[in-house]
Amino acid sequence: METVLITVDKKVDKEKIYSQAVDLLNQGEVVAFPTETVYGLGAVATDDEAVKKIYEAKGRPSDNPLIVHIGTIEEVSDYVEEVPEKAKKLMERFWPGPLTLIMKAKPDVLAKSVMAGLPTVGIRMPDHEVALELLRTLKKPLAAPSANRSGKPSPTKAEHVYEDLKGRIPLILDGGTTGIGIESTVLDVTVDPPVILRPGGVTKEMLEAEIGEVAAPSLKEQQLESTPKAPGMKYTHYAPEAPVYLIERNREKIEKTVRELQNKGHRVALLAPSNYASIPADYFFPFGEEGDRKQMAANLYDALRACDKTDATIILATTTSTEGVGAAIMNRLHKAAGGKFI
């Protein structure tokens, strides 16, 4: 299969591009497109055969549910049995935006493979011009996980998608680098208090300011479920080829660890704030300014992917606090490292 990558900007015929993408989706194909979080791989969410092509292209386990993307808030009631009052408040405040809400799905509307055998579905409205235009032109919901091979770092650039899925999908819409850089927050509103199943750009503090108490179980607690309610709960994710180890932001400890690993024959890649560049690792990839967690989130996946273009045999990634979006960053780093700390 030939994979076509088309840049969507003001200089091109957008109508023709969206028409091409919509035609492919209506024919049961998959299309990659940008959102404000990461690039998604979309298929019409009511077409079971089309949705199965997502799993095939990604090499994704079939018990890992997909998030449904919609273009307008009014569409929610088409796919869920009931919209809780707290969900309505959150939609008004955070949609379009990086918040996925888990609700009880209407039976026999969405493709069974979207929900991986669960009675619930995650729905969100992305905050990106290309994603919204595609959804509103299509006038159908799109099931869309991140557009990468399963287990790899999520794509924040169209070139990341091309590297992973060339020859596996027909079309990639290039809308530039994504803004937030990590996936949406997933909130289960079928329970009270609502539970964060995956931290993201909409933080626990932001949610509680709108609806009161919100629970946030630990990563270990999330992994106890045999069938995950949300993506990223059960399987190893976000990992480059070389093993990742987490290390605290302590210059002396990092320098000592780098020397010890190099003495053992390792080629070390260090992912850390910009002011750690003088540490003599073999490769250095900056997260941004120290303490700037928004920069860190935006740069995280690109830095992890950059390691695969080196001959590094081990990757050290510095940790951050779990305040605000730091909870989402540490969730992804913990997954990438398989929980390994130095």
Side-chain angles (χ1 to χ4, degrees):
M1 177 188 296
E2 180 187 4
T3 299
V4 177
L5 191 153
I6 301 177
T7 300
V8 184
D9 61 28
K10 295 177 181 178
K11 299 177 183 177
V12 299
D13 185 349
K14 290 186 181 181
E15 188 174 334
K16 184 178 179 181
I17 291 173
Y18 288 119
S19 177
Q20 182 178 345
V22 165
D23 286 347
L24 283 168
L25 291 165
N26 280 327
Q27 291 163 17
E29 293 295 339
V30 294
V31 171
F33 61 94
T35 76
E36 80 282 25
T37 57
V38 299
Y39 272 75
L41 181 61
V44 174
T46 53
D47 182 340
D48 203 54
E49 291 304 310
V51 172
K52 286 176 181 176
K53 290 182 180 179
I54 294 176
Y55 288 95
E56 182 181 355
K58 285 176 60 70
R60 183 185 178 94
S62 60
D63 67 343
N64 201 359
L66 303 176
I67 290 170
V68 173
H69 293 63
I70 57 175
T72 65
I73 289 179
E74 290 72 27
E75 293 169 62
V76 174
S77 58
D78 294 339
Y79 309 113
V80 303
E81 287 190 339
E82 179 188 1
V83 182
E85 285 303 314
K86 288 183 179 180
K88 291 176 183 176
K89 286 184 180 180
L90 294 174
M91 289 175 200
E92 289 173 7
R93 172 65 179 83
F94 296 111
W95 280 14
L99 176 64
T100 295
L101 298 174
I102 302 284
M103 293 175 277
K104 291 182 179 177
K106 281 187 175 177
D108 305 318
V109 177
L110 295 167
K112 285 183 169 55
S113 49
V114 168
M115 296 171 287
L118 293 166
T120 55
V121 63
I123 297 182
R124 90 176 188 97
M125 183 179 170
D127 188 14
H128 193 286
E129 179 186 1
V130 174
L132 287 174
E133 187 66 30
L134 179 63
L135 286 160
R136 290 167 183 174
T137 304
L138 178 66
K139 295 182 173 61
K140 294 177 182 178
L142 287 178
S146 55
N148 57 293
R149 289 291 285 169
S150 190
K152 294 296 183 185
S154 299
T156 55
K157 300 176 180 178
E159 65 194 64
H160 296 162
V161 183
Y162 194 77
E163 288 167 1
D164 278 14
L165 300 180
K166 179 184 177 183
R168 292 177 170 272
I169 65 174
L171 180 63
I172 302 168
L173 299 180
D174 182 355
T177 303
T178 61
I180 295 173
I182 52 175
E183 298 83 354
S184 63
T185 303
V186 177
L187 184 72
D188 185 354
V189 291
T190 66
V191 293
D192 194 25
V195 178
I196 295 174
L197 302 182
R198 181 180 72 186
V202 176
T203 66
K204 182 176 188 286
E205 295 85 351
M206 292 163 69
L207 294 167
E208 290 187 329
E210 298 298 322
I211 60 170
E213 184 185 0
V214 170
S218 69
L219 185 62
K220 185 175 181 180
E221 290 172 327
Q222 293 172 23
Q223 291 173 318
L224 293 176
E225 291 197 53
S226 58
T227 300
K229 266 190 171 183
M233 290 181 67
K234 184 177 178 182
Y235 297 96
T236 300
H237 279 66
Y238 323 121
E241 296 295 332
V244 178
Y245 288 83
L246 304 185
I247 189 167
E248 63 182 288
R249 287 196 323 275
N250 179 302
R251 183 177 291 273
E252 186 177 332
K253 180 177 181 178
I254 295 171
E255 288 179 344
K256 180 183 177 184
T257 301
V258 168
R259 284 196 303 270
E260 289 175 349
L261 290 169
Q262 289 171 334
N263 288 339
K264 292 177 181 177
H266 281 290
R267 292 176 297 281
V268 182
L270 175 62
L271 281 58
S274 305
N275 56 313
Y276 287 69
S278 60
I279 292 176
D282 298 276
Y283 303 98
F284 178 73
F285 299 103
F287 282 145
E289 297 302 316
E290 186 161 21
D292 190 330
R293 287 186 290 276
K294 285 189 177 180
Q295 280 188 13
M296 189 175 182
N299 294 328
L300 176 61
Y301 290 145
D302 195 37
L304 287 170
R305 282 180 167 271
C307 293
D308 282 343
K309 299 185 187 302
T310 73
D311 61 353
T313 59
I314 194 166
I315 300 165
L316 298 180
T318 57
T319 60
T320 187
S321 77
T322 55
E323 294 176 8
V325 76
I329 294 167
M330 286 306 300
N331 171 276
R332 306 314 193 270
L333 281 174
H334 196 279
K335 283 279 190 177
K340 300 188 298 292
F341 282 81
I342 286 182

